[in-house]
Amino acid sequence: MVNTVVQGSRTAKLPKVAELGEILFVRHVNPNPLTAWEPFVTIWVCTGHAGLVGNIAAWQQFHLGETQPGETADGATFPMVQHSPTAKLPKAAAFGTSGLIEHVNNNPITAWQRFVTVWVCTGTFSLSPTAEWQQVLMGEPQAGELDERPPTVPWIQHSRTAQLPREGTLGETLGIRHVSNVPLDDWEPFVTAWACTGSFPLSPYAQWQRLLLGDVKLGE
C-alpha cells in the first residue's frame, strides 16, 4: 500500500496506525514564504509496531540521493536497459513512480561493470512539467542462498543476516523481519528491505541489494 500526504514542515509527522510494509510519501511544502527552504519529499516504510502497548506504527526513512530531472521523452517502462553509467530518466512520470535501470556496458573496450540503480519520481520541477527523480540508495550485492521462496512479504527470519531466495525477478522487492527466537539474546527485532537486481555472472542465483533505511521513528 502506498499513500501520499502533504505537510507544511521539514520534519515528517507519521501516522500512529499503519500496516507492516505500508509506504508513505510525504511532500514537505513550505507554508511561510518568508523562510528559505524549498519543497522536498521523504519516503517512509512501516517496519512494524512499538510502544508500551505495541500498537504504534514504527517507520523508517528510505535514503535518497540527489535530485535529477528527467531528460528523455522515451516513455519506456521499468525495468529498462541503458548503455550508460549515468541514468537517463523519463521527462514524464507520475508522482511515486519507481523502477530499476540496468546499466549495461555495450563497449568491450571500456572497463566498467554492469550495475543497477533504483529511482523514484518525487514530483515535477517548478514552472516545468519535467519529472523530478531521486535515486534510492542501495547496499552491496548479495547472492541468493535459499532454494525456497518466501511465502509472504514481509518474511520473518530468526537471524540478523538476511537469507535471500536463489530465484528472483528483476525489480522484485522483499521485506524481511529479523526476529530473535532466543529470549536471552540482546538484539531487538528489525526490518530490512531488498531489491532483486538480476543474477550473478555465470550463475543462476539471484542478485539482491539492500535498500538503505534511516533510523526508526514512531508514528505521532
Side-chain angles (χ1 to χ4, degrees):
M1 184 188 308
V2 178
N3 295 308
T4 62
V5 296
V6 178
Q7 296 180 358
S9 161
R10 281 179 285 190
T11 303
K13 295 178 171 56
L14 303 164
K16 285 186 178 180
V17 179
E19 297 179 7
L20 180 67
E22 181 176 335
I23 295 176
L24 180 67
F25 285 75
V26 179
R27 301 184 74 167
H28 301 261
V29 179
N30 189 349
N32 184 353
L34 298 180
T35 55
W37 62 276
E38 295 294 325
F40 63 98
V41 174
T42 55
I43 304 173
W44 302 80
V45 59
C46 177
T47 57
H49 298 83
L52 295 177
V53 291
N55 61 353
I56 300 176
W59 297 87
Q60 284 185 266
Q61 185 176 353
F62 282 98
H63 287 179
L64 298 172
E66 295 297 319
T67 300
Q68 180 173 328
E71 54 186 314
T72 174
D74 186 2
T77 57
F78 292 103
M80 63 175 73
V81 176
Q82 295 183 355
H83 299 290
S84 162
T86 303
K88 293 177 173 56
L89 302 160
K91 284 185 177 179
F95 179 73
T97 299
S98 62
L100 284 81
I101 295 179
E102 279 192 277
H103 301 263
V104 179
N105 188 353
N106 62 349
N107 183 351
I109 298 176
T110 56
W112 60 277
Q113 297 294 316
R114 167 199 170 274
F115 64 98
V116 174
T117 54
V118 181
W119 298 83
V120 61
C121 178
T122 56
T124 56
F125 276 89
S126 302
L127 306 177
S128 167
T130 302
E132 181 178 81
W133 296 87
Q134 283 186 266
Q135 186 175 352
V136 181
L137 302 186
M138 306 175 76
E140 294 297 318
Q142 182 173 328
E145 53 191 317
L146 296 180
D147 290 326
E148 294 185 2
R149 294 191 51 73
T152 59
V153 176
W155 188 22
I156 295 177
Q157 295 185 357
H158 299 295
S159 77
R160 281 178 281 193
T161 303
Q163 314 290 311
L164 300 162
R166 286 187 179 181
E167 295 183 356
T169 57
L170 180 67
E172 178 182 354
T173 56
L174 178 68
I176 297 178
R177 294 187 68 186
H178 300 262
V179 179
S180 174
N181 58 350
V182 179
L184 297 180
D185 283 354
D186 58 1
W187 61 278
E188 294 293 327
F190 62 97
V191 173
T192 56
W194 300 82
C196 179
T197 58
S199 58
F200 274 86
L202 306 178
S203 165
Y205 296 163
Q207 176 175 272
W208 299 86
Q209 280 188 265
R210 184 173 175 180
L211 305 179
L212 301 185
L213 301 172
D215 292 332
V216 176
K217 182 177 181 181
L218 294 183
E220 53 188 316

